[in-house]
Amino acid sequence: MSELISGGHLVAKALKAEGVDVIYTLCGGHIIDIYDGCVDEGIEVIDVRHEQVAAHAADGYARITGKPGCAVVTAGPGTTDAVTGVANAFRAESPMLLIGGQGALSQHKMGSLQDLPHVDMMTPITKFAATVPSTERVADLVSMAFRECYHGAPGPSFLEIPRDVLDAKVPLDKARIPASYRASTKQAGDPEAIERLADLLAHSEKPCILLGTQVWTCRGTDAAIDFVRALNVPAYMNGSGRGTLPPGDPHHFQLSRRYAFTEADLIIIVGTPFDFRMGYGKRLSPTATVVQIDLDYRTVGKNRDIDLGIVGDAGAVLSAVTQAASGRIQNAAARRKEWIEELRTVETQAYAKRLPRQHSDDRPIDPYRLVHEINEFLTEDSIYIGDGGDIVTFSGQVVQPKSPGHWMDPGPLGTLGVGVAFAMAAKQARPDKEVVALFGDGAFSLTGWDFETMVRFDLPFIGVIGNNSSMNQIRYGQAAKYGVDRGRIGNTLGDVRYDEFAKLLGGHGEEVRDPADIAPALQRARESGKPSLINVWVDPEVYAPGTMNQTMYK
Ligand SMILES: Cc1ncc(C[n+]2csc(CCOP(=O)(O)OP(=O)(O)O)c2C)c(N)n1
Ligand SMILES: [Mg+2]
């Protein structure tokens, strides 16, 4: 007779087949058999303090490793707690699998402990959500859920496994355990469209390209670099696409984006939707030729008319275009010298205008000074994470990751509380890297208890709290609308010593009030080799330009 195997052990085998080597979890009686399977398969179990963190960590793991992340949570409140993390991954196009427990099938609709309609709840925020109907199908459905994560633009999947299905044992030879079940996802785009884009590039005097999140998702960094260099195209980067080119690269531009989008004759948007971050496409010159490249057919041409749309993998498409254009581009590329110089002038002027703020000696500390110090502190091996409101808006302008894939922000859901989870996943997946996270005090408080998990698993990172004792990004809008007094309702936080909190939990902590102390404190945190929090008191009366313009609502 064939060996018997339980559902939890089948989950672990399927995770192993997918290459997943860690799960993020918070325990519950419904899911413990999965842990037992993980022991056999050598899969690490990282147990966190809140299920939201488990789901964000799975999202972060996917971003860092290029493999799907996995979070395992118990039925009912375990699963509802994880909803925000799944939703964040959904908007950020991050492939992850959430496995939720469920009451036994034999007690279906009887009011079992922690029973909820999880699949109904998860359906609108996942690419795939299903119940595993039998123990034999456990591994089959896990691999199906992973495959669904990669259909079009990636995203999360959800599976609930009823307790009796998970705990039951079936003969190993009756269980389907897929081992090879995925097609290549690298579509190079329609060859005719590639030719057209090559032609547009050959005739363009003032092209520019925006390298979005999918450039990193598709691991298209080298292709993007070849493209901008071979064709001499200035590049802007957003989301996880930041860092595709290093700061100082002749094709790296950031502060002149609005100017470029107004003046360019050809704008190529790669792997980022026309959502609020792009002003829904409204901020692009109406006379420019606009080309959009995306993994998802549904994203191309949405919210704004385009001249050419290409569905495909960012790296594969850009490589094909570079190849198609080489040979016919020589003069065209040389002609762009002036355009590049024009943008560089705009860029340099914008930088010079801000520099005094970045060097400000003010007390309380000007947030520009804080983010400037952080930017100076980052090395090629620092993964930077931003988690907060106004303080992170400042950092978006000033902090430049030095390497591809070294920038993490929540993405278009704008979820506060991703920071500790992303730090956890980044450090665990890439112990050779340094992790630097900037938090708003409001954002940190949402999921900050998981600092303890970082201590417990010995995952050192450098955490900085831009502490203004407020939910400042919201306060600005309230004060503008209702006046300064009424503008203080619902957005005030205490003067909390997050450095003491870090020490209480076994980490390193320091408080900074003087801007000259920021750099030495960062250095000491680096040398401490511990999870750390530097509590930097920043001026609550200073707001980022993006917050003052309320651009996120426009
Ligand atoms: C989970 C979640 N809740 C609420 C919001 C709305 N929100 C956006 S910015 C912000 C203030 C954040 O405060 P903090 O992290 O201290 O940053 P600050 O703006 O003060 O620099 C809030 C509450 C959100 N984006 N996410
Ligand atoms: Mg704050």
Side-chain angles (χ1 to χ4, degrees):
M1 199 183 124
S2 169
E3 187 191 329
L4 293 178
I5 185 163
S6 69
H9 286 245
L10 284 165
V11 168
K13 281 197 183 300
L15 295 179
K16 185 87 177 276
E18 184 66 31
V20 173
D21 47 23
V22 57
I23 59 167
Y24 300 94
T25 188
L26 196 154
C27 64
H30 293 82
I31 52 173
I32 51 177
D33 197 54
I34 297 176
Y35 299 170
D36 198 57
C38 286
V39 173
D40 277 1
E41 299 299 332
I43 294 170
E44 189 167 2
V45 176
I46 297 204
D47 45 328
V48 299
R49 295 294 190 116
H50 193 292
E51 288 88 352
Q52 180 183 346
V53 171
H56 286 320
D59 169 354
Y61 174 92
R63 298 184 196 201
I64 293 287
T65 61
K67 298 189 279 189
C70 181
V72 177
V73 296
T74 198
T79 300
T80 57
D81 273 357
V83 164
T84 300
V86 173
N88 192 70
F90 186 63
R91 286 290 306 271
E93 302 182 347
S94 187
M96 60 163 282
L97 171 62
L98 179 75
I99 298 178
Q102 178 58 293
L105 275 185
S106 61
Q107 295 162 348
H108 188 52
K109 300 285 180 200
M110 290 173 70
S112 67
L113 174 70
Q114 295 168 227
D115 182 19
L116 274 180
H118 304 134
V119 172
D120 292 343
M121 285 162 32
M122 291 292 180
T123 296
I125 54 166
T126 52
K127 295 175 75 71
F128 176 79
T131 306
V132 179
S134 69
T135 309
E136 289 84 351
R137 296 281 314 281
V138 166
D140 184 29
L141 269 146
V142 169
S143 62
M144 192 181 289
F146 280 131
R147 188 167 49 239
E148 296 274 351
C149 286
Y150 288 91
H151 163 244
S157 287
F158 172 74
L159 282 181
E160 66 171 12
I161 313 184
R163 189 176 173 161
D164 45 1
V165 169
L166 193 75
D167 285 349
K169 289 187 171 176
V170 294
L172 190 53
D173 60 5
K174 291 272 182 315
R176 178 168 145 70
I177 308 178
S180 172
Y181 47 87
R182 294 252 234 103
S184 157
T185 53
K186 287 202 191 303
Q187 298 178 50
D190 178 346
E192 248 175 66
I194 301 289
E195 279 299 311
R196 261 191 73 197
L197 179 50
D199 209 47
L200 287 169
L201 279 156
H203 292 99
S204 164
E205 306 262 331
K206 297 179 168 191
C208 68
I209 189 165
L210 179 72
L211 303 169
T213 288
Q214 286 178 11
V215 172
W216 175 244
T217 309
C218 300
R219 297 304 188 267
T221 305
D222 290 347
I225 293 174
D226 286 351
F227 175 95
V228 300
R229 292 196 180 147
L231 310 181
N232 200 18
V233 178
Y236 297 84
M237 289 152 272
N238 78 357
S240 302
R242 283 179 180 241
T244 303
L245 292 166
D249 186 284
H251 293 96
H252 176 296
F253 289 88
Q254 183 175 2
L255 302 175
S256 55
R257 190 174 105 166
R258 186 169 284 236
Y259 182 89
F261 282 174
T262 317
E263 297 296 320
D265 60 11
L266 173 64
I267 303 172
I268 305 167
I269 305 292
V270 188
T272 195
F274 289 127
D275 62 18
F276 72 98
R277 295 169 299 178
M278 290 290 295
Y280 306 99
K282 284 183 297 208
R283 296 184 202 127
L284 307 186
S285 160
T287 56
T289 301
V290 175
V291 179
Q292 195 178 10
I293 301 166
D294 203 279
L295 282 167
D296 191 341
Y297 182 90
R298 296 170 308 173
T299 295
V300 178
K302 185 168 151 180
N303 299 341
R304 189 202 192 279
D305 283 6
I306 49 166
D307 297 281
L308 177 64
I310 301 178
V311 176
D313 174 277
V317 170
L318 291 176
S319 290
V321 176
T322 309
Q323 210 176 7
S326 61
R328 50 176 127 155
I329 203 89
Q330 228 58 12
N331 283 341
R335 277 207 316 266
R336 289 172 199 148
K337 194 166 162 278
E338 255 177 57
W339 166 236
I340 298 223
E341 280 169 6
E342 185 180 330
L343 293 177
R344 188 58 68 199
T345 306
V346 175
E347 189 92 5
T348 314
Q349 282 167 353
Y351 184 76
K353 198 170 154 211
R354 219 183 39 207
L355 206 57
R357 294 281 304 277
Q358 292 184 201
H359 291 158
S360 160
D361 290 325
D362 287 356
R363 288 181 63 155
I365 294 168
D366 187 322
Y368 267 124
R369 174 74 185 263
L370 172 59
V371 295
H372 171 77
E373 295 291 347
I374 292 173
N375 189 45
E376 296 285 302
F377 177 76
L378 297 184
T379 71
E380 280 181 3
D381 286 316
S382 311
I383 296 174
Y384 174 79
I385 297 162
D387 179 16
D390 201 43
I391 191 71
V392 167
T393 307
F394 281 106
S395 89
Q397 291 174 55
V398 175
V399 176
Q400 297 182 327
K402 317 295 181 242
S403 305
H406 285 50
W407 173 279
M408 297 176 85
D409 65 30
L413 198 66
T415 313
L416 299 178
V418 297
V420 176
F422 282 3
M424 186 183 297
K427 192 64 191 175
Q428 202 270 337
R430 297 298 307 271
D432 53 318
K433 296 284 177 187
E434 172 177 89
V435 175
V436 179
L438 173 63
F439 302 91
D441 50 331
F444 180 80
S445 336
L446 283 168
T447 49
W449 273 109
D450 266 289
F451 187 90
E452 189 276 330
T453 310
M454 307 288 289
V455 173
R456 195 160 23 97
F457 282 87
D458 190 20
L459 298 170
F461 79 108
I462 298 152
V464 181
I465 312 265
N467 196 343
N468 48 23
S469 309
S470 294
M471 303 278 199
N472 238 21
Q473 191 154 57
I474 306 307
R475 181 163 81 98
Y476 180 83
Q478 281 178 266
K481 195 169 175 190
Y482 305 107
V484 173
D485 291 342
R486 297 178 79 98
R488 253 301 177 196
I489 307 299
N491 53 38
T492 306
L493 303 168
D495 295 335
V496 177
R497 291 283 302 272
Y498 294 94
D499 51 318
E500 293 294 339
F501 179 73
K503 287 195 264 188
L504 175 74
L505 298 179
H508 169 85
E510 280 194 51
E511 175 188 49
V512 172
R513 290 188 185 275
D514 190 319
D517 293 336
I518 299 171
L522 286 169
Q523 192 55 36
R524 284 190 293 273
R526 177 178 271 162
E527 283 158 13
S528 75
K530 291 181 179 179
S532 61
L533 288 179
I534 306 173
N535 188 54
V536 182
W537 296 103
V538 293
D539 192 342
E541 302 310 325
V542 175
Y543 297 96
T547 298
M548 291 194 283
N549 295 331
Q550 300 273 289
T551 38
M552 56 283 204
Y553 303 120
K554 288 179 181 161

